[in-house]
Amino acid sequence: MIQACSSSENDLSPSLVIWMLIIIGTECILGILANGFIVAINIAEWIHNKVLSTSGKILLCLGVSRIGLQSLMMLELTLSSTSPQFYNDDVVYHVFRGCFMFLNHCSVWFAAWLSFFYFVKVADFSYPLFLKLKWRISRLMPWLLQLSVFASLGQSVLFFQNIHTTNCNSMFPPHSFNSTWKKSFAEATVINLVLFLNLGIFIPLVMFILAATLLIISLKRHILHMKSNATGSRDPSMEAHLGAIRAISYFLILYIVKVLALFLYMSNFFDINSPLNILCKIIMAAYPAGHSILLIQDNPGLKRAWKRLQAQVHLYFKK
């Protein structure tokens, strides 16, 4: 690939490599810990209750995909920084890209379904179709999650097929820096971009934005209704709704920024060692950690479990 081919032209300085390892490594470790906590709590609930709630299923899938994603990012970053010759091998590089695409697309889809589920359950609309969806969403969600996994897997397979076709049809090996190969790869990149937009990123992005926006509108309308009936004292329910609006707004901003960084990174716009490409990596590593920490703070069940864990840790060190 172009990024793999040109990495030797602009090697990173040792100090920049160290800083990149520290920043992205810290983000990945925080993300793995936060998502590991989410996964552990939901598995414990599953074992204890013999059943897992719909939101718990989505959170479990989201947490597992993000743990895999950030573990892969740490491994990729380590290999690309310490063993560039091994990492820039065509097979290794394409395998990393394909696995990264699969896990990232799964994460994007699961986050979108989580936003959609909260919208359907919390929003207050009286449309017949919406009311039917509110009743059936819990039964539909497991199928939708499986569909997302297959869609992400299909996207990754198509990615491999396009790359294999490009390499086979090329007159020169990828590392020869030949313009004919670069042109051939550029054509494959256009195909990947179309697939990437239509299947891998555009649908969940639109779904997340619409669900979050409509939920904010519903909550604001409910707040206005409560204000019109307020007696003068601050209503805890109103404060909770305002907090929910703030949290959803943060989720929406984080999601859009992350998807934009993912789009730029996967479309090979920048050289692998360019500052913009590194910035995309930092954003992609920061999003799973930041979003998961916000989920722990805003989800009542996860928040209670986190407080219990904090109390136990405090007692342990106090002894």
Side-chain angles (χ1 to χ4, degrees):
M1 296 178 71
I2 291 175
Q3 287 189 317
C5 297
S6 58
S7 59
S8 60
E9 294 179 345
N10 298 304
D11 292 335
L12 295 174
S13 64
S15 59
L16 185 57
V17 170
I18 293 173
W19 277 110
M20 187 172 63
L21 285 170
I22 292 173
I23 294 173
I24 298 180
T26 302
E27 292 172 340
C28 289
I29 291 172
L30 288 175
I32 291 171
L33 291 175
N35 286 287
F37 175 79
I38 292 173
V39 169
I41 294 302
N42 282 283
I43 290 177
E45 178 189 342
W46 195 355
I47 295 173
H48 182 264
N49 299 329
K50 308 299 182 183
V51 67
L52 191 61
S53 64
T54 304
S55 61
K57 292 175 183 177
I58 304 174
L59 287 171
L60 180 60
C61 292
L62 183 62
V64 170
S65 67
R66 285 179 171 175
I67 290 173
L69 174 63
Q70 297 207 286
S71 299
L72 181 69
M73 289 184 71
M74 289 184 67
L75 178 60
E76 182 182 20
L77 180 64
T78 303
L79 287 177
S80 63
S81 302
T82 58
S83 304
Q85 288 185 338
F86 174 76
Y87 174 74
N88 289 334
D89 179 77
D90 290 333
V91 175
V92 175
Y93 185 76
H94 296 157
V95 166
F96 268 109
R97 270 302 176 92
C99 294
F100 177 83
M101 179 180 287
F102 171 70
L103 292 170
N104 226 320
H105 282 40
C106 284
S107 176
V108 168
W109 272 106
F110 294 152
W113 286 127
L114 183 64
S115 175
F116 180 75
F117 177 76
Y118 284 154
F119 157 67
V120 172
K121 283 296 185 181
V122 176
D124 185 19
F125 294 107
S126 58
Y127 302 107
L129 182 61
F130 179 78
L131 294 176
K132 286 183 180 180
L133 184 61
K134 188 183 280 283
W135 281 102
R136 296 179 181 179
I137 188 64
S138 295
R139 285 181 291 176
L140 289 174
M141 190 53 66
W143 294 99
L144 295 174
L145 293 174
Q146 292 180 42
L147 181 63
S148 302
V149 173
F150 287 123
S152 302
L153 182 61
Q155 176 70 14
S156 302
V157 171
L158 289 172
F159 170 81
F160 274 115
Q161 287 180 343
N162 284 332
I163 294 301
H164 176 72
T165 302
T166 302
N167 288 340
C168 289
N169 293 337
S170 178
M171 297 172 59
F172 301 91
H175 296 288
S176 65
F177 305 104
N178 187 276
S179 59
T180 304
W181 187 89
K182 290 184 178 181
K183 181 180 179 181
S184 178
F185 180 80
E187 292 174 355
T189 300
V190 172
I191 298 174
N192 286 330
L193 283 176
V194 173
L195 295 170
F196 187 72
L197 280 171
N198 290 335
L199 180 62
I201 192 172
F202 182 72
I203 297 174
L205 174 62
V206 172
M207 185 170 64
F208 190 100
I209 292 174
L210 286 177
T213 303
L214 290 173
L215 183 54
I216 290 173
I217 291 172
S218 177
L219 290 172
K220 282 190 173 181
R221 189 175 64 178
H222 191 61
I223 288 174
L224 291 175
H225 178 72
M226 287 191 295
K227 283 183 177 180
S228 63
N229 298 329
T231 58
S233 58
R234 295 185 69 87
D235 188 356
S237 178
M238 188 180 300
E239 292 295 326
H241 280 70
L242 289 172
I245 290 176
R246 285 193 295 269
I248 295 167
S249 300
Y250 294 151
F251 291 160
L252 185 59
I253 294 170
L254 283 172
Y255 192 87
I256 292 174
V257 172
K258 190 263 180 164
V259 167
L260 178 61
L262 175 60
F263 169 74
L264 294 174
Y265 179 74
M266 292 302 298
S267 57
N268 297 297
F269 281 141
F270 311 120
D271 181 79
I272 191 171
N273 290 333
S274 69
L276 290 175
N277 197 63
I278 294 172
L279 178 62
C280 289
K281 285 185 177 182
I282 292 173
I283 292 173
M284 289 187 296
Y287 169 76
H291 185 245
S292 299
I293 290 171
L294 287 175
L295 281 175
I296 293 172
Q297 292 297 316
D298 293 321
N299 185 284
L302 293 175
K303 192 173 183 178
R304 286 193 299 269
W306 176 249
K307 287 184 177 180
R308 289 197 300 268
L309 179 62
Q310 284 181 314
Q312 291 176 0
V313 171
H314 179 73
L315 288 174
Y316 175 81
F317 283 107
K318 197 173 181 180
K319 291 179 182 179

